[in-house]
Amino acid sequence: MNSQSSLQLGKTNQSFQWRSLIADSLTVFWGDWLKLRVRIAQIAASGLVSPLIYILAFGLGLGSSLPQPAIGNSYLEFILPGMVALSSMTISFGGTTFSICGDRLFTKTFEEMLLVPVHPLALHIGKMLAGIVRGLMTSGSVILIAILFTGRIWSFLNPLFLLLLVLNCAVFAGLGVLVGLNVRSLESVGLYNNFLIIPMSFLGATFFDPATLPAALKAIVYLLPLTYTSTGLRAAAYLPLSQFPWYSIPILLGCAIALSMLGAYQFAHQQD
């Protein structure tokens, strides 16, 4: 009887801890949401510039002289899922990084958040959720443009497409949290952007099919998480389920979980 009571008590405590973690994460997220909701239009439009330029220059310009790709009816259709992946990566990473940097380096309110009696993982998840929302706002605008160009509503709004999009936002928002916690100036953020985000924008299978690359280059491209998002979104939009690269989901989920663990550790040991 005592062992059963102890087991039930342990399960109750574990359930309480998970509920507390979720509640604390949503509380941290709500603090960022209060800032985001007054700038929804600005955030939604901020990541549209680069995708629109790429769509006009590559999809409508260069794409008209290219042969029909293996996936999609035209090169424009081929790159549109990649543009969704690109916009969600850029804003999830950049918005999260600059938000934390602003709190740490300018407003000096970050120290107050570290004193809040919540689990470090809740701090990371809350900040990551805010980054996911930023990414979804902008990529939602790109999805609207993709639907207008192609007329394929279900291709860009099916559950599998949206799941991959959320996972991509989670990965790069988690990466943005780590960068925001470690940089010492805004100039350092520019270095991460120049040496990490911009190269990944062009090498992450947004403009090409990685299956056509030589083995050595293919190995490099498949080290980038954006590659799995771009190829997965393209397959979810245009290919039957039998041809979907299911491995992309656990890879992106594993990256998001790993970054969450690193982020929780960083929050627990942050010295600001």
Side-chain angles (χ1 to χ4, degrees):
M1 184 67 177
N2 290 334
S3 61
Q4 291 180 352
S5 300
S6 300
L7 182 61
Q8 291 177 354
L9 180 60
K11 291 182 178 179
T12 302
N13 290 335
Q14 187 177 18
S15 176
F16 175 78
Q17 290 174 357
W18 278 108
R19 288 199 299 267
S20 178
L21 179 65
I22 294 172
D24 291 341
S25 301
L26 293 176
T27 300
V28 175
F29 163 72
W30 185 253
D32 277 14
W33 169 248
L34 294 177
K35 303 175 185 177
L36 291 174
R37 65 178 184 178
V38 299
R39 297 185 293 113
I40 291 178
Q42 177 184 344
I43 295 172
S46 60
L48 276 175
V49 177
S50 293
L52 278 176
I53 292 175
Y54 294 143
I55 288 171
L56 294 174
F58 292 99
L60 298 178
L62 179 63
S64 60
S65 61
L66 295 176
Q68 181 175 333
I71 302 177
N73 295 324
S74 64
Y75 187 67
L76 173 61
E77 287 193 5
F78 179 83
I79 68 170
L80 283 173
M83 295 301 97
V84 175
L86 174 62
S87 64
S88 64
M89 174 191 72
T90 304
I91 299 302
S92 294
F93 174 82
T96 304
T97 302
F98 282 107
S99 174
I100 294 178
C101 283
D103 292 341
R104 286 181 56 233
L105 304 176
F106 296 100
T107 64
K108 300 297 182 180
T109 58
F110 188 75
E111 295 87 345
E112 299 177 3
M113 186 179 65
L114 293 178
L115 297 175
V116 176
V118 299
H119 196 280
L121 182 58
L123 292 174
H124 175 88
I125 293 176
K127 290 294 183 180
M128 186 177 70
L129 287 174
I132 291 174
V133 170
R134 288 187 182 93
L136 291 177
M137 286 179 182
T138 301
S139 56
S141 302
V142 180
I143 288 174
L144 179 60
I145 292 175
I147 291 174
L148 292 175
F149 272 111
T150 64
R152 301 188 180 200
I153 299 177
W154 181 248
S155 293
F156 295 94
L157 293 179
N158 65 76
L160 198 54
F161 189 96
L162 297 177
L163 173 61
L164 282 170
L165 181 57
V166 171
L167 288 176
N168 189 61
C169 291
V171 169
F172 288 100
L175 183 61
V177 172
L178 288 175
V179 172
L181 290 174
N182 286 281
V183 296
R184 298 301 173 187
S185 65
L186 291 180
E187 289 78 8
S188 300
V189 178
L191 290 176
Y192 280 98
N193 191 67
N194 290 334
F195 288 99
L196 182 64
I197 299 302
I198 292 179
M200 201 179 305
S201 300
F202 291 94
L203 299 177
T206 51
F207 298 101
F208 59 87
D209 184 358
T212 62
L213 296 175
L217 292 178
K218 189 185 297 184
I220 295 174
V221 167
Y222 274 103
L223 289 175
L224 307 175
L226 187 66
T227 298
Y228 298 96
T229 304
S230 297
T231 55
L233 291 180
R234 197 169 288 129
Y238 304 129
L239 298 179
L241 285 178
S242 59
Q243 300 182 39
F244 180 79
W246 293 101
Y247 56 82
S248 59
I249 294 178
I251 288 175
L252 291 173
L253 181 60
C255 289
I257 293 174
L259 289 170
S260 295
M261 296 299 103
L262 289 173
Y265 177 85
Q266 185 69 49
F267 269 112
H269 296 82
Q270 192 72 19
Q271 298 297 320
D272 283 348

